[in-house]
PDB file of all heavy atoms in Angstrom:
ATOM      1  N   GLU A 215      76.396  84.993 185.985  1.00  0.00           N
ATOM      2  CA  GLU A 215      77.034  85.964 186.865  1.00  0.00           C
ATOM      3  C   GLU A 215      76.023  86.973 187.374  1.00  0.00           C
ATOM      4  O   GLU A 215      75.091  87.352 186.666  1.00  0.00           O
ATOM      5  CB  GLU A 215      78.154  86.727 186.107  1.00  0.00           C
ATOM      6  CG  GLU A 215      79.354  85.899 185.790  1.00  0.00           C
ATOM      7  CD  GLU A 215      80.481  86.730 185.224  1.00  0.00           C
ATOM      8  OE1 GLU A 215      80.265  87.383 184.176  1.00  0.00           O
ATOM      9  OE2 GLU A 215      81.585  86.734 185.810  1.00  0.00           O
ATOM     10  N   ARG A 294      64.517  69.842 196.711  1.00  0.00           N
ATOM     11  CA  ARG A 294      65.969  69.885 196.741  1.00  0.00           C
ATOM     12  C   ARG A 294      66.531  68.971 197.841  1.00  0.00           C
ATOM     13  O   ARG A 294      66.018  68.984 198.972  1.00  0.00           O
ATOM     14  CB  ARG A 294      66.430  71.307 196.980  1.00  0.00           C
ATOM     15  CG  ARG A 294      67.920  71.539 197.028  1.00  0.00           C
ATOM     16  CD  ARG A 294      68.228  73.009 197.279  1.00  0.00           C
ATOM     17  NE  ARG A 294      67.743  73.879 196.200  1.00  0.00           N
ATOM     18  CZ  ARG A 294      67.129  75.023 196.395  1.00  0.00           C
ATOM     19  NH1 ARG A 294      66.883  75.467 197.617  1.00  0.00           N
ATOM     20  NH2 ARG A 294      66.732  75.739 195.377  1.00  0.00           N
ATOM     21  N   ASP A 371      92.345  64.890 189.041  1.00  0.00           N
ATOM     22  CA  ASP A 371      92.133  64.449 187.658  1.00  0.00           C
ATOM     23  C   ASP A 371      90.972  63.450 187.586  1.00  0.00           C
ATOM     24  O   ASP A 371      90.132  63.519 186.661  1.00  0.00           O
ATOM     25  CB  ASP A 371      93.400  63.839 187.076  1.00  0.00           C
ATOM     26  CG  ASP A 371      94.503  64.872 186.858  1.00  0.00           C
ATOM     27  OD1 ASP A 371      94.152  66.063 186.736  1.00  0.00           O
ATOM     28  OD2 ASP A 371      95.680  64.483 186.819  1.00  0.00           O
ATOM     29  N   GLU A 375      87.283  63.754 185.735  1.00  0.00           N
ATOM     30  CA  GLU A 375      86.806  62.683 184.837  1.00  0.00           C
ATOM     31  C   GLU A 375      85.402  62.237 185.197  1.00  0.00           C
ATOM     32  O   GLU A 375      84.588  61.966 184.299  1.00  0.00           O
ATOM     33  CB  GLU A 375      87.773  61.483 184.917  1.00  0.00           C
ATOM     34  CG  GLU A 375      89.113  61.702 184.259  1.00  0.00           C
ATOM     35  CD  GLU A 375      90.083  60.565 184.516  1.00  0.00           C
ATOM     36  OE1 GLU A 375      89.653  59.573 185.168  1.00  0.00           O
ATOM     37  OE2 GLU A 375      91.238  60.675 184.086  1.00  0.00           O
ATOM     38  N   ASP A 413      83.370  73.115 179.553  1.00  0.00           N
ATOM     39  CA  ASP A 413      82.803  72.262 178.487  1.00  0.00           C
ATOM     40  C   ASP A 413      82.155  70.990 179.021  1.00  0.00           C
ATOM     41  O   ASP A 413      81.724  70.154 178.226  1.00  0.00           O
ATOM     42  CB  ASP A 413      83.888  71.904 177.484  1.00  0.00           C
ATOM     43  CG  ASP A 413      84.323  73.073 176.638  1.00  0.00           C
ATOM     44  OD1 ASP A 413      83.511  74.023 176.500  1.00  0.00           O
ATOM     45  OD2 ASP A 413      85.464  73.063 176.119  1.00  0.00           O
ATOM     46  N   ASN A 448      72.965  92.876 194.443  1.00  0.00           N
ATOM     47  CA  ASN A 448      72.955  93.901 195.487  1.00  0.00           C
ATOM     48  C   ASN A 448      72.261  93.399 196.760  1.00  0.00           C
ATOM     49  O   ASN A 448      71.277  92.672 196.692  1.00  0.00           O
ATOM     50  CB  ASN A 448      72.233  95.146 194.977  1.00  0.00           C
ATOM     51  CG  ASN A 448      72.992  95.837 193.868  1.00  0.00           C
ATOM     52  OD1 ASN A 448      74.224  95.793 193.815  1.00  0.00           O
ATOM     53  ND2 ASN A 448      72.268  96.508 192.971  1.00  0.00           N
ATOM     54  N   PRO A 456      62.209  86.324 204.053  1.00  0.00           N
ATOM     55  CA  PRO A 456      61.158  85.693 203.250  1.00  0.00           C
ATOM     56  C   PRO A 456      61.115  84.169 203.347  1.00  0.00           C
ATOM     57  O   PRO A 456      60.111  83.561 202.943  1.00  0.00           O
ATOM     58  CB  PRO A 456      61.527  86.109 201.829  1.00  0.00           C
ATOM     59  CG  PRO A 456      63.006  86.231 201.839  1.00  0.00           C
ATOM     60  CD  PRO A 456      63.352  86.766 203.215  1.00  0.00           C
ATOM     61  N   CYS A 517      67.197  84.784 214.630  1.00  0.00           N
ATOM     62  CA  CYS A 517      66.807  85.608 213.475  1.00  0.00           C
ATOM     63  C   CYS A 517      67.479  86.968 213.510  1.00  0.00           C
ATOM     64  O   CYS A 517      67.890  87.495 212.461  1.00  0.00           O
ATOM     65  CB  CYS A 517      65.304  85.769 213.426  1.00  0.00           C
ATOM     66  SG  CYS A 517      64.405  84.220 213.093  1.00  0.00           S
ATOM     67  N   ASN A 537      51.331  97.822 203.442  1.00  0.00           N
ATOM     68  CA  ASN A 537      49.915  98.096 203.705  1.00  0.00           C
ATOM     69  C   ASN A 537      49.313  97.162 204.752  1.00  0.00           C
ATOM     70  O   ASN A 537      48.103  97.211 205.033  1.00  0.00           O
ATOM     71  CB  ASN A 537      49.087  98.040 202.409  1.00  0.00           C
ATOM     72  CG  ASN A 537      49.134  96.647 201.742  1.00  0.00           C
ATOM     73  OD1 ASN A 537      49.662  95.689 202.339  1.00  0.00           O
ATOM     74  ND2 ASN A 537      48.613  96.529 200.562  1.00  0.00           N
TER      75      ASN A 537
END
Side-chain angles (χ1 to χ4, degrees):
E215 289 188 302
R294 180 181 297 137
D371 291 337
E375 288 172 3
D413 289 336
N448 293 330
C517 293
N537 62 8

